[in-house]
Structure formats: structure tokens, C-alpha cells
Amino acid sequence: MKSRRSFLRLGAFFPLTHFSFNRLLVGEAAGQPLVVSTWDSGIIANKGAWPVLQRGGKAIDAVEQAGIAIENDINCCVGLGGNPDRDGRVTLDSCIMDDRFNCGSVAFLERIKHPVSVARKIMDTTPHVMLVGEGAQQFAVENGFVLESGKLSAGAQKTYRKWLEKSEYKPIINVENQKRPDAGGKGVFAPNKLDDGTPNHDTMGTVALDAAGNLSGMCTTSGMGFKMRGRVGDSPIIGAGLYVDNEVGAVTCSGQGEEVIRMCGSHLVVEFMRQGLAPKEACRRAIERIVKRDPLRAKEFQVGFIALNRQGEVGAFSVQPGFSYTITSATVSHQVYKSESYFS
Ligand code: SD4
């Protein structure tokens, strides 16, 4: 574990590229629109969101476009291109939240391409926050969403066939090649990509600040691959996978959903920011809370938070190394950064 001193020395961001970026620069951009998404493939999400923010649009519209962009990408493991549950069916979870605590959520949704937009529709047109399963699908179809075939993507068919060889029920997320012999029997955490180059995550979380100074966020996922049928993770749970308080900040996350739900993770990060902590420090405190519950088991899972406060400052922190996030603003063009982590 890194010492507190080394955390302080290390500054706010770790760019994956040579581009140099720091917190001051984001601070200077305060009042300017900004979008932040989880992972390297946050580039896809940010490219969906940025045009909305750039033309002075609302953060809520921008984050919905982020979700749509990533759900459209059949090669990414978010949305219908994602890994199925252990019965071979893709089930999707998503939520969205605006600057006035309005929120919508869907869980265990099948054969609908854009769960984020179904969540938005629930938020905008019903007195409810969350619809699940068949009811969510019925609502989607009644509101004009197309019922897709339900066929697995080529990539998901391949990974599902491979999984079926052992059918081992081992719900581990974002942790590649556990107990790899070439790593001396240790787990190797390399969540960004699998050996064949496909992204090793199933979730996209996006938070945005618009030109009017308002925050919003969304989270969308196919959930943990090969999960039990009916399992729902943190991603559609307001307060767990996403939380937005316009007076404070917006937070979303990726990783082992059960660990996030237990701690109301995203809400917890927002509350730490409310107490005055900078976004990265707030994320770090929430990660420490998660690890503290069972430090030994924490060595085997990943959780990573990203946070954006209303001043336009960004921070992230994860349990394991390998978590990344992407920032887009007028001065930062779809730049990917590496998060600091609890374990090295
Ligand atoms: C879940 N949090 O279903 C999601 C999984 C995830 O990258 O983040 N994968 O628990």
C-alpha cells in the first residue's frame, strides 16, 4: 500500500500519454464544460457527450449521448455487445441523474439497445425511479424502443463458449488472469484489455458539467459476465453506481458491484466532497472504506471511482492498478489518465 505522503507527492493525474495535465488546469477550466468517463473507452462516450456540451447543451443530454455512443459500440462490452449471464442472455443495467435529483433507472433489461435512454424516459415521464426485467422491457417497447433479436455479438459468443468449457461460477470483475503462472501464481490486474485486445470491463460511467454550471451523470453496463440470471450490480442503483448532487459533485464507478452497493459508493464519495475533500481524496476515502471491510478479499477485486466537483475538478481512485478514465474539455481532447490505486 502506498503511504499517505507518497499520495500527496503524486499530484492529481497520471496521464497514460505524454500529455501533461494537472488539477490547476482543470480548476482554471471551472465554469467551462467538462465530461469525464470511466476507462480508456471513455473516449467513445466522451465523443458522444462533447458536441452537446460544446454547443452549450445540458449536462443531462450530454451524458445520455455518452451512454448511447458506448451502447452503440458492439465491440465494447457495454450494452448488447456485452457478455451474457451464465444462461447465455445479455441483461442490461443503467441509470441517469440530473442536477435536480431527478433520476431514472433500469435493471435486468433484455433486448433493448439503449438502456440509458429507457432510464431517461422513466425519469422524464413516470413518477418512478426504477423499472426492472419484463416490466422495463414492456415500458421500453411501449415507448418506441425496438425489441432486438437477443443474439450474442460475435465476441460474446466466443467468450461465452470459452466460459462454458468450465462453467465456473466465479464472479470476478475487471481482474484478468487470476493466478497466472507467469506472475508467480499471483493475480495480474490488467483491466483495460484482454489478451485478444477486447476491453476487460462491462461498464461505462460518465459525469459532466455544462456551461451553465450544472452537473449530471449516467452509468450503463451489461454487468458482470456470466453472472447468475437476475443478478443486478451497482450500475443502475442510484447512490451506488452513480450519484449527483449539484451543490457538491457527480460520481460514478466501475468494478465489483456488490462491494460498491454495500457502501453506497458513489453517494459516499459525494458526501466526502461535501465535507471539503478534493475529488481524488474523496474517491480514495471511499476505496479505503471498501477495502477495510475485508482487506484480504479486496486483493481479489477491482473498484474504481471517478468524481467531478462543481468547480470542475476531477479525481479518481481505485482498489487495484489498471483503472483509467478519460477527460474531455475545451482544453483537454479525449485524454486518458491512469488512476492511483490502493494496492500497487
Ligand atoms: C457490475 N459494476 O455489474 C458492474 C461491472 C463493471 O466493468 O463495472 N464492470 O457489478
Side-chain angles (χ1 to χ4, degrees), residues 25-98:
L25 207 132
V26 184
E28 282 170 2
Q32 301 291 325
L34 179 73
V35 56
V36 194
S37 294
T38 51
W39 304 111
D40 299 26
S41 43
I43 291 177
I44 300 167
N46 285 9
K47 282 185 175 169
W50 183 242
V52 179
L53 294 173
Q54 208 175 19
R55 62 172 180 261
K58 288 183 172 176
I60 188 68
D61 297 323
V63 296
E64 184 183 357
Q65 288 306 317
I68 289 172
I70 197 79
E71 289 163 357
N72 271 337
D73 190 327
I74 203 76
N75 295 316
C76 183
C77 347
V78 170
L80 289 177
N83 284 327
D85 63 16
R86 61 185 188 178
D87 292 6
R89 289 155 79 165
V90 177
T91 70
L92 304 175
D93 302 334
S94 180
C95 71
I96 193 162
M97 188 164 186
D98 75 4

Side-chain angles (χ1 to χ4, degrees), residues 54-182:
Q54 208 175 19
R55 62 172 180 261
K58 288 183 172 176
I60 188 68
D61 297 323
V63 296
E64 184 183 357
Q65 288 306 317
I68 289 172
I70 197 79
E71 289 163 357
N72 271 337
D73 190 327
I74 203 76
N75 295 316
C76 183
C77 347
V78 170
L80 289 177
N83 284 327
D85 63 16
R86 61 185 188 178
D87 292 6
R89 289 155 79 165
V90 177
T91 70
L92 304 175
D93 302 334
S94 180
C95 71
I96 193 162
M97 188 164 186
D98 75 4
D99 54 300
R100 296 166 56 85
F101 300 103
N102 294 311
C103 42
S105 161
V106 278
F108 192 41
L109 176 65
E110 293 178 84
R111 297 174 55 189
I112 299 289
K113 195 171 180 185
H114 291 303
V116 70
S117 295
V118 182
R120 173 89 193 254
K121 198 87 191 165
I122 293 167
M123 173 178 113
D124 286 346
T125 67
T126 80
H128 307 300
V129 166
M130 190 169 195
L131 294 178
V132 304
E134 247 178 64
Q137 191 188 69
Q138 184 185 325
F139 171 83
V141 171
E142 280 168 9
N143 281 280
F145 291 85
V146 174
L147 198 57
E148 307 286 342
S149 72
K151 205 170 151 249
L152 296 186
S153 68
Q157 274 179 39
K158 211 171 113 196
T159 40
Y160 184 52
R161 265 201 300 273
K162 196 154 175 246
W163 180 81
L164 280 175
E165 285 168 17
K166 285 193 189 164
S167 300
E168 196 180 5
Y169 190 61
K170 196 175 169 195
I172 289 175
I173 290 172
N174 309 142
V175 178
E176 186 190 6
N177 299 332
Q178 287 269 307
K179 303 203 170 50
R180 240 164 89 155
D182 61 353

Side-chain angles (χ1 to χ4, degrees), residues 39 173-174 201-203 221 223-224 231 233-235 254-257:
W39 304 111
I173 290 172
N174 309 142
H201 65 84
D202 340 83
T203 304
T221 188
M224 178 165 56
R231 179 266 183 190
D234 58 320
S235 307
S254 187
Q256 189 78 42

